């Protein structure tokens, strides 16, 4: 519960920081929860571009939830959230733009 309080405060303060440091920290932390879910559920997808697409298309409260999960542990709810975000139209568009070139580079 303490981690949730920390991340809630961090997200609120993110809007106050001129350089967005807190937002970047929360996003970086959230990536630690997203990566293993993508690796388990989307084999063959380039993890880093896909992780960026998921994070870029997550809402602020979802970033908070993912950042918290990176501390408390990834569970079924976390996996469902990542899959939900990953299958949104905007995320799929991002994957096509950023993920496919990474696959092609890996094949050459």
């Amino acid at each position: 519960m303490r981690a949730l309080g920390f991340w809630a405060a961090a997200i609120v303060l993110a809007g106050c920081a001129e350089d967005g440091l807190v937002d970047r920290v929360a996003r970086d932390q959230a990536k630690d929860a997203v990566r293993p879910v993508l690796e388990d559920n989307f084999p063959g997808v380039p993890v880093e571009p896909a992780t960026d697409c998921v994070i870029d298309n997550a809402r602020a409260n979802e970033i908070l939830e993912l950042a918290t999960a990176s501390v408390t542990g990834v569970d079924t709810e976390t996996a469902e959230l990542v899959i939900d975000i990953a299958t949104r139209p905007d995320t799929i568009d991002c994957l096509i733009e950023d993920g496919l070139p990474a696959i092609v580079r890996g094949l050459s």
Side-chain angles (χ1 to χ4, degrees), residues 71-88:
V71 174
T72 61
V74 175
D75 58 15
T76 304
E77 288 180 23
T78 306
E80 289 172 359
L81 176 59
V82 171
I83 292 167
D84 176 59
I85 298 166
T87 57
R88 292 177 185 164

Side-chain angles (χ1 to χ4, degrees), residues 34-59:
V34 172
R35 280 186 202 98
V37 175
L38 293 178
E39 289 169 344
D40 290 346
N41 292 282
F42 300 97
V45 172
V47 176
E48 288 311 311
T51 299
D52 291 340
C53 288
V54 168
I55 295 299
D56 290 346
N57 286 285
R59 297 176 190 101

